[in-house]
Amino acid sequence: MDMDIKTEESKQIFLADNSQFFYTIKQVEIINILGTTVAVLDEYSITDSAGVNYKLYKTKKDGSWYDLTEANTGVAKSILLALKLKIDSQ
């Protein structure tokens, strides 16, 4: 069996305070308890210069951000908002 493996390019962004982040994007599906796909999202795996990891999710259909509370526990909401705004502006 052949599998098509796609490598993801790491992208770089800087916030207004010059903090540096790297991120990759992959598609993920949100599946309900019945096994039906509820949403297809872009998962942004983000790492800052100190090695802290963040996960952000954006809907494929309308480009809205989808917050999973368990994805970024203990992270300042201001950092997540700044990352979302910067990604949207690119």
Side-chain angles (χ1 to χ4, degrees):
M1 172 172 35
D2 291 328
M3 295 180 67
D4 184 23
I5 300 174
K6 295 180 181 178
T7 56
E8 298 174 358
E9 178 182 347
S10 181
K11 299 178 183 182
Q12 180 178 2
I13 57 174
F14 291 91
L15 297 183
D17 65 356
N18 287 328
S19 53
Q20 179 181 13
F21 296 84
F22 294 93
Y23 69 95
T24 58
I25 306 168
K26 73 175 183 177
Q27 284 189 344
V28 297
E29 292 182 341
I30 302 296
I31 299 172
N32 67 14
I33 196 164
L34 301 174
T36 305
T37 299
V38 177
V40 177
L41 307 172
D42 284 335
E43 178 185 72
Y44 290 76
S45 297
I46 304 168
T47 305
D48 67 12
S49 58
V52 177
N53 296 311
Y54 308 90
K55 296 275 187 183
L56 297 175
Y57 299 88
K58 190 174 187 178
T59 60
K60 293 291 291 176
K61 186 176 182 180
D62 60 6
S64 298
W65 291 99
Y66 188 88
D67 291 322
L68 297 177
T69 54
E70 66 275 5
N72 295 301
T73 55
V75 176
K77 299 290 183 195
S78 60
I79 293 173
L80 299 177
L81 178 59
L83 288 168
K84 291 175 185 178
L85 291 170
K86 186 64 175 188
I87 291 169
D88 280 345
S89 72
Q90 293 184 332

